[in-house]
Amino acid sequence: MAKPIISMGGLKAVIMCGMIVIILVGIKIAAEIIVPFILALFIAIILNPMIRRLERVRVPRVLAIVFVISLIVCFVVLLLAYLGTTLNELTRTLPQYRSSLISPLQTLEPWLQRAGISVSVDELVKYIDPNAAMTLVTSLITQLSTAMTSIFLLLLTVVFMLTEVPQLPIKLQQLMSRPVEGMGAIQRALDSVSHYLVLKTAISLVTGLVVWLMLATLDVRFAFVWALLAFSLNYIPNIGSVLAAIPPVAQVLVFSGLYEALLVIAGYLAINLVFGNIIEPRMMGRGLGLSTLVVFLSLIFWGWLLGPVGMLLSVPLTIAVKIALEQNEGGKKIAVLLSDVTKN
């Protein structure tokens, strides 16, 4: 009798891989629907500890939710109004950068020629088109004007999620075959993700404030916008702080010169060194339970799957996946590969 080409174990592995591919493709296609839901879920996780603290001082949960969401709405409205004004000012400033670029390029031209690189400043200036940058900023202003609808729907979803939190454990227990183990895993995932998100938000907020003070001290224009960018991109592990430094450094290099740009670079390096290598590891405690390589690869994977929001939430999403894998024998081996420690 002929032996089967594929064993039962291999067939199961092939079927499982096929199912995973189908699920990932479905998530990729439905990203426009899934991403707002995931973002609302993580916002609710961040806000829930604040709601619980208000409940401890005998504030009804509904009033606590309304109070917190109202503060967020007021802050978002003021922020969008300020960003709209700042972007309008940036649009008026953009035509100046073409003429401002000529002087630094002329300074660099002799150095490049000594290095054997033949560059013509006049030819380079021809490729600099301020209209393209102005079109980009104008589209950003248009998106800001239409963003309120999306933000309103997002916050409304957060409100319903926060309202549903007290009844959620009872509903989940009824769906599980092993309620004790299942609820324990969910609680560990929520604690880990909440711990990470709350601390990361606090660290990102302080980082943004320090960047704002540093840029304002150096008299850099649009300091608040670059500080807001530093706050947002600080959620992206490994490369977020580097990406946040590029626009202000480029602006200072063009409009102020090389010396001022070096000062800005030194300021960003000092901030990232203190917060990224000293304060954040101590506040995070024993770590995320993920290896450095896994954190970087998760950034690429979730960014591909869910876009920019996936990059921002790559670490908590991977933590949740790791804890879910630990709940069955087959997944434990993959969870060990994701971990930053080896168990004997």
Side-chain angles (χ1 to χ4, degrees):
M1 184 176 179
K3 293 182 179 180
I5 299 176
I6 302 177
S7 63
M8 288 301 297
L11 183 60
K12 288 182 179 179
V14 171
I15 293 174
M16 185 172 295
C17 289
M19 292 173 62
I20 292 173
V21 170
I22 293 172
I23 291 171
L24 292 179
V25 170
I27 293 174
K28 179 76 174 175
I29 294 173
E32 292 185 2
I33 300 174
I34 294 174
V35 167
F37 175 79
I38 293 177
L39 188 58
L41 177 62
F42 282 107
I43 292 175
I45 291 174
I46 294 174
L47 296 180
N48 192 54
M50 192 183 306
I51 303 297
R52 291 171 62 183
R53 288 188 179 183
L54 289 174
E55 284 186 298
R56 287 175 191 156
V57 295
R58 298 187 178 182
V59 177
R61 186 173 184 84
V62 175
L63 291 180
I65 294 172
V66 171
F67 174 72
V68 172
I69 297 298
S70 299
L71 288 179
I72 294 174
V73 170
C74 293
F75 174 76
V76 168
V77 170
L78 293 174
L79 180 63
L80 290 178
Y82 181 83
L83 282 178
T85 304
T86 305
L87 288 175
N88 279 321
E89 184 181 354
L90 180 60
T91 304
R92 293 192 296 269
T93 306
L94 281 174
Q96 303 174 11
Y97 85 89
R98 181 169 180 171
S99 57
S100 301
L101 270 176
I102 296 176
S103 178
L105 288 175
Q106 288 175 339
T107 305
L108 287 173
E109 186 177 8
W111 294 2
L112 294 174
Q113 288 178 350
R114 291 193 199 103
I117 302 173
S118 179
V119 177
S120 173
V121 174
D122 295 331
E123 291 297 325
L124 285 176
V125 171
K126 292 179 181 178
Y127 291 99
I128 300 173
D129 183 13
N131 293 326
M134 291 179 66
T135 302
L136 175 62
V137 175
T138 304
S139 66
L140 288 175
I141 295 173
T142 305
Q143 290 176 11
L144 280 178
S145 63
T146 59
M148 282 304 299
T149 303
S150 300
I151 293 173
F152 174 76
L153 293 175
L154 180 67
L155 292 177
L156 193 61
T157 306
V158 172
V159 169
F160 285 117
M161 286 182 175
L162 291 172
T163 307
E164 193 73 13
V165 166
Q167 294 82 27
L168 194 58
I170 300 173
K171 295 180 179 180
L172 291 176
Q173 285 178 353
Q174 294 176 354
L175 296 174
M176 296 176 181
S177 57
R178 294 184 297 173
V180 177
E181 293 84 351
M183 291 305 299
I186 291 175
Q187 191 59 49
R188 285 199 306 276
L190 286 175
D191 290 342
S192 299
V193 172
S194 178
H195 174 76
Y196 172 80
L197 286 176
V198 170
L199 287 181
K200 191 68 173 178
T201 300
I203 293 170
S204 299
L205 182 61
V206 176
T207 301
L209 290 173
V210 174
V211 168
W212 188 11
L213 290 175
M214 183 264 294
L215 295 178
T217 303
L218 296 175
D219 198 23
V220 177
R221 297 185 67 181
F222 313 115
F224 180 79
V225 175
W226 307 137
L228 184 64
L229 186 67
F231 163 76
S232 303
L233 295 184
N234 196 57
Y235 283 93
I236 301 177
N238 301 323
I239 63 172
S241 56
V242 177
L243 295 176
I246 293 175
V249 170
Q251 173 192 311
V252 174
L253 181 62
V254 171
F255 289 103
S256 301
L258 181 60
Y259 176 72
E260 288 79 3
L262 291 175
L263 286 179
V264 174
I265 292 173
Y268 270 98
L269 287 176
I271 292 170
N272 294 328
L273 176 65
V274 172
F275 285 92
N277 298 327
I278 299 175
I279 296 178
E280 185 169 328
R282 290 187 179 182
M283 291 185 67
M284 290 295 180
R286 59 183 177 84
L288 305 172
L290 302 173
S291 70
T292 306
L293 177 61
V294 168
V295 171
F296 181 72
L297 292 178
S298 69
L299 172 67
I300 299 174
F301 172 76
W302 292 112
W304 165 79
L305 190 64
L306 300 175
V309 173
M311 298 178 70
L312 294 173
L313 301 175
S314 59
V315 171
L317 285 170
T318 307
I319 292 174
V321 170
K322 176 176 173 288
I323 293 175
L325 289 171
E326 292 173 346
Q327 303 313 303
N328 58 78
E329 292 299 325
K332 283 182 180 179
K333 297 179 181 179
I334 302 177
V336 170
L337 293 176
L338 299 178
S339 177
D340 62 344
V341 292
T342 56
K343 296 180 181 180
N344 297 324

